[in-house]
Amino acid sequence: MSQPMFSLIFKVIMAELSDYFWLLLIWLASTILFRVIFTKSCIKARRLPPSPRALPVIGHLYLLTKLPHQAFHKISSRYGPLVYLLFGSKPCVLVSSPEMARQCLKTHETCFLNRPKRTNVDYITYGSADFVLAPYGPYWRFMKKLCMSELLGGRILHQHLPIRAEEVKLFLNSMMKKADLREKVNVGEEVAMLANNIITRMALRRRCCDVEGEGHELIELVKEMAELGGKFNLGDMLWFVKKLDLQGFGKRLESVRSRYDTIMERIMKEHEDARRNKKKEEEESVRDLLDILLDIYANENSEIRLTRENIKAFIMNIFGAGTDTSAYTIEWALAELINHPDIMAKARGEIDTVVGKNRLVEESDIPNLPYVQSIIKETMRIHPTGPLIVRQSTEDCNIDGYCIPAMTTVFVNVWAIGRDPNYWKNPLEFQPERFLDKEGLSPLDLKGQNFELLSFGAGRRSCPGASLALQIIHTTLAGMIQCFEWKVGEKGHETVDMEEGPGMALPRAHPLLCIPVARLRSFSLA
């Protein structure tokens, strides 16, 4: 296109825009005026929680940083444990104390049983087919019951114990080889691979460490989907740009879901073919999670008929929730232990006393290792892998004398609650002993009974995979403590920085790089 032609087109476009400039200005002014009047009337009529000063159109978005939980903590430190915010056109409330969390997640739980929909996540997870984001109702209740009885309950976890034990041994054996070579290890990557192998074997009878295999391809796709799902989408906050796709997410979301759909469809058909050809004597063997889901899919008398999209979304949920969270907790815990050698020595002494030096620590040993358990609790208090619990109100609700309007997004800041000096003495210090009493491990648990420690949420929408995650985390960390010294830096005595990075599951800002030094060789890891 010639330059004169381009200039002419540009002038025509600018002339067209100028015709609408005053209309746009009038619309913007009226919007601001309406919001000011509406907000003031709402405050008088319904007494909303305290709120910082909002800007036109964007509301309080200017207060956010790349680490939202830290930004929320600063806001709550100034305005209190219940704060009202507007993110664009979306009303939100910050909850930053155990008392307020208890009111939202227990006392008035029925008002906060839904999760808000986000465009990117909703598309990736097949919309209404997804269990984690599904509205509270018959489908969600059916899937939760299924999780606790058939998919992630005690019986199934016990049946898959050999898988977890074998994968932990393979992981420690790999670390032993690296120790022999004095090779530096990226701890986060290694424990993530371990968690992924356990999940893919339990769910699909595949390992993800084979770069050429479907398991590896699936894990890489889930990582890409999680990254896209965690991106901030302007359309979720500013209604007038919702359909414009200004950030170009549309094609990327379509591509990644299409690739995931293709590989999952292939794996599901392989399972269905194998089920048809299975001999009678093989029917009683341990089934993976996909087999169980396909049984329900094929059962015409099932309470809820699952679709193929339901199954694909659930498998995605398992990968997304069960791998990074476990890996990050182990990585944070080891970083804290390296920075606190006295705590490391005490944990190692407990393991040597209870387990000895002639065999590897096992899952069955964990109940007899209260100090190791307290290390995990303290890690999840100060480095929660779910720093924010996000819910949405389904109706107007009164919390501590304030009105929380229907369709308000509620952020329970688990990260801030875990650092609340009103509940935790010296909250920024890593002190596992705070979870011990004269009789051993204190009754404070991680599964939502204590609102000052909400590592897996609370109430009906708490994480159904908590038991599996804790089994992986405890046994893996105990094995790493038992078998190795972990050296950082050229001299092996450097401290580890504890800076947090951006992400939904609270990753470290910088990878934990260590050289493992073999401590025990009196038993075989092969």
Side-chain angles (χ1 to χ4, degrees):
M1 182 182 293
S2 65
Q3 183 64 28
M5 180 62 73
F6 179 83
S7 299
L8 178 60
I9 293 174
F10 180 76
K11 289 178 181 178
V12 171
I13 292 173
M14 292 306 295
E16 289 287 332
L17 287 177
S18 66
D19 291 339
Y20 292 100
F21 175 76
W22 290 107
L23 287 175
L24 178 62
L25 192 61
I26 292 170
W27 170 82
L28 184 59
S30 61
T31 300
I32 295 169
L33 182 61
F34 174 78
R35 174 167 292 174
V36 170
I37 295 172
F38 178 74
T39 301
K40 285 183 177 179
S41 64
C42 281
I43 291 173
K44 290 179 180 178
R46 299 191 289 180
R47 196 187 177 214
L48 297 174
S51 181
R53 184 182 297 277
L55 295 181
V57 182
I58 66 170
H60 297 97
L61 284 173
Y62 72 96
L63 294 172
L64 287 182
T65 65
K66 66 177 182 179
L67 299 175
H69 57 280
Q70 291 190 15
F72 288 165
H73 180 53
K74 289 181 180 178
I75 296 170
S76 297
S77 297
R78 180 174 180 183
Y79 292 93
L82 211 62
V83 183
Y84 182 81
L85 300 176
L86 277 170
F87 291 159
S89 56
K90 300 290 184 180
C92 304
V93 167
L94 307 186
V95 175
S96 302
S97 75
E99 296 93 345
M100 295 300 102
R102 180 183 295 275
Q103 287 201 43
C104 291
L105 302 179
K106 185 176 182 179
T107 307
H108 301 285
E109 181 186 18
T110 55
C111 297
F112 300 98
L113 284 173
N114 281 356
R115 298 183 192 271
K117 286 198 172 186
R118 295 173 55 194
T119 303
N120 290 9
V121 177
D122 191 53
Y123 182 84
I124 286 173
T125 56
Y126 298 89
S128 59
D130 179 47
F131 161 58
V132 171
L133 297 177
Y136 185 78
Y139 171 66
W140 184 89
R141 288 194 295 270
F142 173 77
M143 289 302 295
K144 180 65 181 282
K145 182 172 67 175
L146 189 65
C147 278
M148 304 316 295
S149 62
E150 294 292 335
L151 295 169
L152 298 171
R155 180 176 60 86
I156 294 297
L157 294 184
H158 179 71
Q159 289 180 357
H160 287 133
L161 172 60
I163 290 176
R164 296 193 296 277
E166 182 182 359
E167 289 298 336
V168 170
K169 275 191 176 182
L170 289 170
F171 163 73
L172 294 173
N173 190 52
S174 173
M175 294 301 100
M176 194 68 75
K177 291 177 181 177
K178 293 180 186 295
D180 291 339
L181 297 172
R182 297 287 297 170
E183 186 176 328
K184 189 175 290 186
V185 170
N186 185 323
V187 174
E189 288 184 356
E190 296 292 342
V191 292
M193 183 66 74
L194 164 65
N196 285 330
N197 278 328
I198 290 173
I199 297 298
T200 50
R201 285 187 65 182
M202 286 180 61
L204 307 171
R205 288 198 299 271
R206 284 164 167 77
R207 298 186 81 232
C208 69
C209 58
D210 181 5
V211 178
E212 301 299 324
E214 285 178 329
H216 178 79
E217 184 180 355
L218 202 59
I219 291 297
E220 291 303 310
L221 274 174
V222 171
K223 285 182 183 178
E224 188 177 349
M225 295 166 97
E227 180 186 347
L228 276 174
K231 295 284 188 183
F232 174 76
N233 192 322
L234 283 172
D236 288 334
M237 302 297 177
L238 304 175
W239 62 268
F240 53 87
V241 299
K242 190 173 182 67
K243 296 183 179 181
L244 299 182
D245 193 23
L246 295 177
Q247 295 158 280
F249 286 132
K251 289 185 178 179
R252 294 176 65 192
L253 291 168
E254 185 178 349
S255 170
V256 69
R257 197 182 82 170
S258 175
R259 285 180 283 144
Y260 173 82
D261 196 86
T262 298
I263 188 173
M264 274 304 303
E265 193 63 42
R266 186 164 67 241
I267 292 173
M268 289 168 66
K269 287 180 178 177
E270 288 176 8
H271 271 63
E272 288 169 327
D273 290 342
R275 286 151 57 83
R276 282 191 290 269
N277 298 327
K278 188 179 290 185
K279 298 178 182 178
K280 288 185 178 180
E281 58 268 21
E282 296 175 341
E283 290 180 357
E284 298 302 320
S285 62
V286 177
R287 298 178 300 164
D288 60 36
L289 302 186
L290 181 54
D291 281 328
I292 298 171
L293 290 167
L294 287 171
D295 279 347
I296 299 164
Y297 169 72
N299 182 6
E300 295 182 358
N301 297 317
S302 174
E303 177 185 341
I304 297 285
R305 291 298 302 276
L306 295 186
T307 66
R308 299 182 83 80
E309 285 72 26
N310 291 144
I311 295 175
K312 294 168 190 173
F314 184 83
I315 295 296
M316 188 191 305
N317 294 156
I318 289 290
F319 288 141
T323 53
D324 281 351
T325 51
S326 298
Y328 289 156
T329 299
I330 295 168
E331 189 181 16
W332 279 116
L334 186 62
E336 290 285 7
L337 291 175
I338 291 170
N339 285 350
H340 298 85
D342 55 328
I343 297 176
M344 174 80 88
K346 189 172 180 179
R348 187 171 285 134
E350 180 182 67
I351 294 170
D352 288 348
T353 300
V354 173
V355 179
K357 299 182 179 181
N358 296 317
R359 68 174 179 87
L360 182 64
V361 62
E362 299 173 354
E363 277 188 19
S364 58
D365 295 311
I366 300 303
N368 300 318
L369 300 172
Y371 196 67
V372 171
Q373 292 182 64
S374 71
I375 288 171
I376 298 301
K377 287 185 177 183
E378 180 71 342
T379 300
M380 299 190 87
R381 176 190 72 83
I382 204 167
H383 306 291
T385 50
L388 296 170
I389 297 172
V390 187
R391 301 285 174 83
Q392 187 176 64
S393 57
T394 54
E395 57 188 80
D396 288 1
C397 181
N398 186 292
I399 300 293
D400 199 41
Y402 293 105
C403 177
I404 311 300
M407 300 306 292
T408 296
T409 299
V410 175
F411 295 96
V412 179
N413 196 340
V414 176
W415 185 90
I417 291 173
R419 295 162 183 253
D420 188 339
N422 295 316
Y423 280 83
W424 305 102
K425 185 178 179 181
N426 302 319
L428 300 184
E429 294 183 14
F430 189 78
Q431 298 177 348
E433 286 79 7
R434 72 174 81 240
F435 291 102
L436 298 172
D437 53 31
K438 293 180 180 179
E439 298 179 0
L441 200 66
S442 77
L444 281 172
D445 76 2
L446 293 162
K447 296 184 180 180
Q449 300 303 311
N450 305 103
F451 286 83
E452 59 267 51
L453 194 66
L454 291 171
S455 306
F456 294 100
R460 280 172 262 190
R461 293 211 80 140
S462 60
C463 176
S467 295
L468 173 60
L470 290 173
Q471 286 173 333
I472 294 172
I473 291 166
H474 281 103
T475 311
T476 303
L477 182 66
M480 295 170 76
I481 295 170
Q482 181 189 28
C483 296
F484 303 100
E485 302 277 358
W486 298 88
K487 304 296 183 181
V488 176
E490 293 183 4
K491 296 182 179 180
H493 300 292
E494 294 183 16
T495 57
V496 180
D497 80 89
M498 305 302 282
E499 183 182 351
E500 298 171 349
M504 291 187 292
L506 200 68
R508 290 174 49 79
H510 309 288
L512 177 59
L513 303 176
C514 301
I515 297 177
V517 178
R519 177 176 173 265
L520 296 179
R521 291 183 180 274
S522 57
F523 53 84
S524 173
L525 290 173

